[in-house]
Amino acid sequence: MTIHSSKHQDDVDKNARSSYFNLPALDISVAFPQATPASKFPPCASDYYQFDDLLTSEEQAVRMKVRECMEKEIAPIMAEYWEKAEFPFHVIPKLGALRVAGGTIKGYGCPGHSVTGAAIAIAEIARVDASCSTFILVHSSLAMLTIALCGSEEQKQKYLPSLAQLNTIACWALTEPAYGSDASALNTTATKVEGGWILEGQKRWIGNSTFADVLVIFARNTTTNQINGYLVKKDAPGLTVTKIENKIGLRIVQNGDILLKKVFVPDEDRLPGVNSFQDTSKVLAVSRVMVAWQPIGISMGVYDMCHRYLKERKQFGAPLAAFQINQQKLVQMLGNIQAMILVGWRLCKLYEKGAMTPGHASMGKSWITARARETVALGRELLGGNGILSDFLVAKLIRVFWMALQAFCDIEPIYTYEGTYDINTLVTGREVTGIASFKPVALATRSRL
């Protein structure tokens, strides 16, 4: 009888909670009439040094096309999907129509943008939603670029046209549960058998993996002990992908744990250009440039939000923009963004003329993400109480300033992935000193004995 009563009370409590959390959304004009919601994205006010003048007409056109789509199609829905940690699959055709997937790849239906043009596109996507930019970056600057740089002619013709249109989706699987920063030490194996290879192992934190049609998998060849690359279909027997739950950032991105149990990959799907870990560096060099532009875009969006908010929101009989401390913070944000843009732009130019080194890319990515953390933190301060609207029903009902909160959380994984801040600074340190310091000297010496 006691058990029955307890169960009955649990059901009552559950129904009450369900009823409570499914209240209709409050009209935002009633809830907070002083400021415009993030669903109506503000105009860009963050190009203070007129960076647009440094772009070609083609790069400017890409920027405006992407900006218009993101503000119109993504801004109204980003809070809902970020909150639910679900991907808005219905927008994939609209993102595909932008023709940014494939970035710098020429031919095979790819756009063939300059590195600067591809970076600008990533920034404009991130300005409105960091998760969407990560989706594109993983698909384009990692998976597609690996096929373009390391694939056979047959593989390029087979996969790239459909991937460029986002008719099929790809992911890029390098990181493993035991190896993040030390990615070259991966444990996933590839064993040669008649007609192909058998893959065994695990991957973790792989963006797009829960719904990708093609998975680019890196594994250690059991014969040569070198890293090879493979194209695995989503329905391959022995392949299991599980969504990683409870993330605080990039919640729209569908990161997954990948389990490979005797997955057969035919010879035709081995990437012939991946014969060592160094071959992945060709891809990572470009992707780190693109990743550096993500926090630039995020910071631009936060500044644009704060710029509008401070002029709309009034306290003590005056707009918040009239107060000195707010102006100081706003200008600090703006200064950070100008410096970030110019470092990112120079990184693109170094790459385009073949002068960019791994150290250049790593310092650019680490320094820019560090400045972005500072910038979005200032933006969160400028929004006051509205900068923390993420909790329970309040976050569900009042989404006015979700962009700043979302950016505050989204910048954290970007600060870490594609090499942590510390690892990227050590890449640059190795380049400028000639001494690698990734492992403590005693351990490094012992490992060679």
Side-chain angles (χ1 to χ4, degrees), residues 259-322:
L259 183 61
L260 301 139
K261 286 190 174 182
K262 297 183 179 180
V263 175
F264 176 77
V265 180
D267 283 327
E268 65 194 47
D269 284 333
R270 177 186 178 269
L271 292 162
V274 182
N275 295 298
S276 72
F277 184 75
Q278 292 304 313
D279 291 321
T280 66
S281 298
K282 296 182 292 186
V283 178
L284 290 171
V286 181
S287 68
R288 280 199 178 127
V289 175
M290 300 300 124
V291 170
W293 279 86
Q294 278 189 289
I296 293 174
I298 291 171
S299 299
M300 290 171 63
V302 171
Y303 176 86
D304 294 341
M305 285 280 302
C306 291
H307 181 263
R308 180 176 68 183
Y309 177 76
L310 292 182
K311 292 192 293 184
E312 292 181 334
R313 172 78 157 141
K314 293 181 180 180
Q315 290 291 283
F316 304 102
L320 291 179

Side-chain angles (χ1 to χ4, degrees), residues 345-358:
W345 179 80
R346 181 58 181 161
L347 205 55
C348 290
K349 295 305 157 188
L350 286 171
Y351 184 89
E352 288 172 355
K353 70 176 187 177
M356 190 191 80
T357 67

